[in-house]
Amino acid sequence: MYFKTEKKNQVVHGNINETGDLIIFPAMEISSFSWFGCAVTSFRGAFLLQMVLDLVCCQLHYLIPEESKHGTFVGRIAQDLGLEIWEINSRMLRIVSRDEKDYFQVNLQNGILFVNNIIDREEICQKILVCVLHLEIIVDKPVQIYHVDVEIEDINDNSPLFSARHYNIALPESRVVGTRFPLEGAVDDDIGINSVKTYDLSPNSYFSLEIQKDKHQSESLDVVLKKSLDREKEPLFNLTLTAFDGGKPKLSGTTQLIISVQDVNDNAPTFSQSVYETYLLENAQKGTVVVKLNATDADLGENGEVVYEFSNQVPPFIKSLFDLDGISGEIKVAGEVDFEQNSHYDIRIDAFDRGQYPMAGHCKVLVNVIDVNDNPPEMTVTSLSLPVPEDSPMGTTVAIIRIQDQDSGSNGKVNCQITENVPFKLKLSLREYYSLIVNGPLDREAINMYHIEITANDEGVPTLSTSETLLVEISDVNDNAPTFNQHSDTIFITENNPPGSLVYTVSATDGDQDQNSFITYSLIESTIDGIPIISYLSINPENGKLFALVSFDQEQISYFQCKVRATDAGFPPLTGNLTLSIFIIDINDNAPSLYTTSLNFDSEAAEIVPRSAKIGTVVSKIRATDADSGYNAWLSFEFNDSAERIPFGIGRHSGDISVIRPLLEVNQDEYKLIIVIKDHGEPAMSITVTMTIVLSEKMQEIIAEQNQKGLKNEDFTNANTYLIIAICLISGIFLVTLIIYTFIRWQQCTQEIDDLRQHNMGSIARSWTYSMQRQYKYCMNGISPKNDLIFFTPSVTQALDTDRNHHQPGFMTGLSAKVRLLNPQTASYSVFHLLLDKLN
C-alpha cells in the first residue's frame, strides 16, 4: 500500500509490504503542501493502515508548528481549492471550525490562510498523537463546502516533570539481586519525539534503570537491584534520576531518589495478575463494581495484611470517576463514565502491607468503555439565506445544516426527513452537512411562509431523534405589473372650468408587496395641436388625482386623448396604461356675432328698397354665427318690436328680410328695424343690429342728395379730434428727430445731407400715400349726417367687399350705395393737407 505524509516541510512517501514492514523513500523538500488525502505516521502494520483510512476523507491538509505567531502563513487555500481571487468576496468565503474557535483566518485579498490566534497543542489535543483541527470552508452562489484539516505539529516547549522533587524508598536488606521496584516516571506535555524518551540514574554500583512497555505501548520505569544490600555498609542512597525528551535541543527534568535500607519485612504484596482488563458500559450507575483486585503477602501478621491504594501516577479525574475499597480491593463507579470523552482508562494500583516498613506490590487495571446510544443527533444551522426570492430556480440552497451524533458505530449513523408537500428537499453535501434546497416553484402571492420541520434519527437501539423547525420566508419579486380596472375610460369636462380643478382620479392595483407594489402615476408624453399634454393636465404621482391646469374652451378644443401610466417601484419597474378620452362640454359663453366686419354689436346699417318691390322679395340678409356648439350655437332672428305695423318680415332661422306687404304710397319713406339675434343657450345670449330701410322711387337722386348733405354737415366728433391731435404730435416728433439727425449727418458729409433730404421726403410722402388707400364715409338717407371715420385697410379689403356684395346683393347693395370712394390722386397729399381739407 502506497502512502504519503509530511514532516518539517518535507514530503515522506513509501510502501507498506505484505508483512507490514514500512519502506521509506527519500524525502522531498516542500514550501507548503496540500493534497486530497491525509498524513500518516511511521508505525507498522494494521495501526498505520487504520490511520490512513481515518484521514483519507479530508480534502486539504496543512501542517504548521504550534505556538505559531499571528499572521503565520498556512497555505494558499483559494488556489488549492481552485477558486479565483475575485470569488472569495463575491461568494462570501468563510471558515467554520468544529470547536467554534477562530484559530485561522483567510486573507480576502490574496486567498492565503493564516494563523489568527496562537495555538497551544497541549491545550487542545493533550495526549493525542496526531493533533488535527478540522475546518469547513463554505462559499455561496452556489453553496460549496470544503473540508480542510490543519495538523498542529508539536514543538519541544515543555520539559519533563516529575510529580515530586524527591521520593523516599525503603528497601529491606533481604531483597535479592534482580528485585525490581517501580518508579513514577516523568510527565512531558509534548508528544512524539518531544516527549520523554530516556532516563539517566546517577552512577552507583547497586541500582540500575530498566524501561518496559506493555501491549498498549505504555512505559514502566523500574529500579533494579544489581547488588545485595547491606544496611550496615550502605544504609542510605541518594540518587539523582534525570528524564530527557527527544526534542532539539533536549530538555530534562530531575528528582531525587532517597533509598533507605530496612532490615524488616522482606516480602512485598503480590497481585494475582499484573494487568487486570475489564469492560464497562458508559453511563453505568454509581456503585457498579468494575473489578475486584486480589493481592497476597507471604509475610505473617501485620507484615502480611494488604491495603490497596491508587498509585500517585493516577490523575485526579480518574480518582473522581472510580472508588477503590482499600480493604476488599473492589473498584466501583463513582462518577459519570462517558465513552465520547474517554473510551478506556489506565489505572495503576499499589498494594501495601502493614509491616513496620511497608512493602508494596503493583498492578495495572485497564477499563474499556462500551458505547451505548445515549446521545441524540445534534442539529446546527450553519448557514441560512433568508428570505428566499420567489423566482429562485430549482436547486437554490436555502440553508446549510450540520447534523452529527457523538455516538459511534450504528449509534452515530443519522437519517434525516423533511416535512412533506413543501417545495424543498434535503441533500447530503459533505459528511454530516445537508443542504436545504428549492425543489419546486415558489409564489409569494400564494404562500409567503413555510414551516419546515427537519427530523434526524440515529440507528441506535432505542432510536434517538431530534427535530428543528425552520421558518422559510418567501420574499417578493416584481412579477406583477400595475393593472387598472379597465383599459380605457371617458371624462367629460365642462368648459371654463377653474384652473387646478380635479377632473378625474385613476386607481391601479399591484399584487406585489412593499416597494414592488408602490405605484406612481404619470402622463405619457403626447401633444394637442403641437402643445404637450402636460400643459393642459397634471396628475398627482401618489394618489392618481388628475387636475386641469388650464380653463378649457370648447370652441378651441372639444376632444382629445391622454394616456396615464402606472409604474411600480420594483426593479426593473413594471407599468400599466389607461387611455382616457376627454370631451369638453360646451356652455353658452359666446354671444352671436355678425359675419360682416362692417357691422358691430348695436351697429346700424341702411338699405334702399324700391317701392316697386313685390311681396316675398328679399331686400337684405343678416348673417351671424355663434362660436358655441349645439343648441348654444342655434341662432334665431326676430324684430325687437314685432307689434309695429311694418311691411317687412324676417326669417326666424335664416335672417332674410323680405317684403311681406305691398309697398304703397301711403307707406312712410323710412323704416328703422331693430333686429335681435339670440342663441338657444341657458341663459340665452343675444345682440341687436339696427337696419334702416329707405323706400325710394329713384335710387340715383337719393344717393346724390345724401352725399351733398353729408358734405355740408360734416363735423368732427371728439374721437376724430383726439386722433388728429395724436397724428400731429407723432408727425411733429418725427420731423424734429429727422432734422436733428440730418444736422448731425450734415456735419459729417454735406453731400449725404442733400441726398438724404431728397430720399427721405419722397419716402415720407409715398408712405402716407400707401397707408391711406381708402377712405369711406357712411351716410344714411333720412339720418343726420355722421362724421367721417378714417381707417386704413390693406388692398385686399376691396376684394372682400366685392365678394360680400356679390353674395348679399340686398344688404350690401344698399350699403355700397352710401360709400364714397376718395379720388386716389388725393391720397398723395400730405397728412396736413388732408386734415385741413377735412376741417374746411
Side-chain angles (χ1 to χ4, degrees), residues 347-360:
I347 306 174
R348 297 174 184 270
I349 305 297
D350 295 334
F352 297 93
D353 57 28
R354 295 181 180 272
Q356 184 178 1
Y357 301 101
M359 300 183 68

Side-chain angles (χ1 to χ4, degrees), residues 66 85 200 239 356 480 500 581 699 708:
E66 69 171 326
I85 298 301
D200 185 33
L239 306 178
Q356 184 178 1
N480 291 282
S581 299
M699 300 283 291
Q708 292 177 0

Side-chain angles (χ1 to χ4, degrees), residues 709-814:
K709 291 181 179 180
L711 291 174
K712 292 180 180 180
N713 299 320
E714 287 180 341
D715 290 321
F716 289 101
T717 62
N718 293 334
N720 287 336
T721 302
Y722 297 149
L723 178 61
I724 291 172
I725 294 173
I727 293 174
C728 291
L729 288 175
I730 293 172
S731 299
I733 294 172
F734 175 73
L735 288 175
V736 172
T737 304
L738 183 61
I739 292 171
I740 294 173
Y741 176 75
T742 303
F743 178 75
I744 294 173
R745 292 287 295 172
W746 176 80
Q747 290 181 345
Q748 298 177 356
C749 181
T750 305
Q751 185 63 35
E752 289 183 4
I753 294 174
D754 295 337
D755 294 340
L756 273 173
R757 280 179 179 174
Q758 296 175 2
H759 175 72
N760 289 341
M761 294 303 293
S763 63
I764 292 170
R766 284 193 300 271
S767 65
W768 280 102
T769 301
Y770 294 148
S771 301
M772 298 172 59
Q773 292 182 2
R774 295 177 182 271
Q775 182 182 36
Y776 295 94
K777 177 180 180 183
Y778 290 94
C779 296
M780 299 298 179
N781 188 19
I783 306 174
S784 59
K786 299 291 184 178
N787 293 327
D788 287 346
L789 175 62
I790 301 173
F791 60 92
F792 309 107
T793 60
S795 59
V796 73
T797 306
Q798 184 177 3
L800 292 174
D801 291 343
T802 304
D803 181 64
R804 289 171 180 167
N805 292 338
H806 176 73
H807 291 287
Q808 303 176 18
F811 180 77
M812 296 305 295
T813 299

Side-chain angles (χ1 to χ4, degrees), residues 610-629:
R611 288 184 180 273
S612 60
K614 298 179 180 181
I615 296 175
T617 301
V618 177
V619 298
S620 184
K621 183 177 182 65
I622 303 298
R623 300 190 66 181
T625 185
D626 194 313
D628 296 322
S629 61

Side-chain angles (χ1 to χ4, degrees), residues 496-605:
N496 296 337
N497 58 289
S501 58
L502 176 66
V503 296
Y504 191 72
T505 301
V506 299
S507 179
T509 58
D510 195 311
D512 298 319
Q513 68 173 176
D514 297 333
Q515 71 172 22
N516 293 331
S517 64
F518 181 76
I519 298 175
T520 57
Y521 301 93
S522 62
L523 295 177
I524 298 178
E525 293 183 2
S526 61
T527 59
I528 302 175
D529 296 334
I531 301 176
I533 189 69
I534 58 175
S535 299
Y536 293 92
L537 300 173
S538 72
I539 191 169
N540 189 314
E542 296 182 359
N543 55 30
K545 293 184 179 297
L546 189 66
F547 298 92
L549 298 179
V550 299
S551 179
F552 287 102
D553 189 353
Q554 197 272 346
E555 288 72 41
Q556 295 182 1
I557 180 171
S558 61
Y559 167 79
F560 63 93
Q561 278 190 344
C562 76
K563 292 185 178 180
V564 178
R565 174 176 293 158
T567 306
D568 60 28
F571 183 81
L574 300 178
T575 61
N577 296 336
L578 172 65
T579 301
L580 296 177
S581 299
I582 301 177
F583 292 88
I584 307 302
I585 301 175
D586 181 59
I587 63 175
N588 193 27
D589 59 344
N590 291 282
S593 61
L594 297 174
Y595 270 129
T596 176
T597 58
S598 61
L599 293 177
N600 294 321
F601 294 154
D602 299 326
S603 62
E604 295 184 1

Side-chain angles (χ1 to χ4, degrees), residues 247-452:
K248 292 183 180 180
K250 290 184 177 181
L251 300 178
S252 63
T254 60
T255 187
Q256 296 298 121
L257 300 181
I258 301 175
I259 304 175
S260 57
V261 180
Q262 304 290 330
D263 197 27
V264 293
N265 196 18
D266 56 350
N267 289 290
T270 303
F271 286 93
S272 59
Q273 298 175 226
S274 61
V275 176
Y276 292 85
E277 186 172 8
T278 185
Y279 294 88
L280 179 67
L281 292 175
E282 69 169 325
N283 296 336
Q285 297 294 325
K286 293 181 180 181
T288 301
V289 177
V290 179
V291 67
K292 181 176 176 59
L293 304 177
N294 182 27
T296 58
D297 193 315
D299 296 326
L300 299 174
E302 292 183 351
N303 293 331
E305 295 180 2
V306 178
V307 177
Y308 302 95
E309 295 181 2
F310 285 114
S311 171
N312 292 331
Q313 300 180 36
V314 177
F317 79 93
I318 293 182
K319 294 180 179 179
S320 65
L321 294 177
F322 301 98
D323 279 337
L324 174 60
D325 190 325
I327 303 300
S328 64
E330 289 184 345
I331 298 177
K332 298 180 180 180
V333 176
E336 294 183 358
V337 180
D338 192 349
F339 173 85
E340 285 70 40
Q341 293 183 1
N342 282 291
S343 59
H344 71 277
Y345 297 93
D346 185 348
I347 306 174
R348 297 174 184 270
I349 305 297
D350 295 334
F352 297 93
D353 57 28
R354 295 181 180 272
Q356 184 178 1
Y357 301 101
M359 300 183 68
H362 312 279
C363 76
K364 182 186 295 184
V365 178
L366 299 178
V367 180
N368 298 305
V369 181
I370 301 174
D371 181 46
V372 296
N373 191 26
D374 60 339
N375 292 284
E378 297 177 358
M379 190 180 304
T380 306
V381 179
T382 62
S383 178
L384 189 60
S385 300
L386 292 179
V388 180
E390 62 178 321
D391 61 346
S392 298
M394 298 279 287
T396 300
T397 300
V398 177
I400 301 297
I401 303 168
R402 181 182 181 185
I403 302 176
Q404 58 181 350
D405 195 313
Q406 295 183 3
D407 295 322
S408 61
S410 60
N411 295 331
K413 293 182 179 180
V414 179
N415 299 315
C416 296
Q417 294 83 30
I418 191 175
T419 305
E420 296 181 353
N421 301 323
V422 293
F424 301 94
K425 72 174 182 179
L426 280 178
K427 178 183 178 183
L428 180 63
S429 55
L430 180 65
R431 286 186 179 177
E432 66 268 19
Y433 284 91
Y434 291 81
S435 298
L436 180 65
I437 62 174
V438 177
N439 193 39
L442 304 176
D443 187 359
R444 187 204 64 83
E445 286 71 36
I447 301 177
N448 60 3
M449 180 77 72
Y450 288 92
H451 295 73
I452 301 176

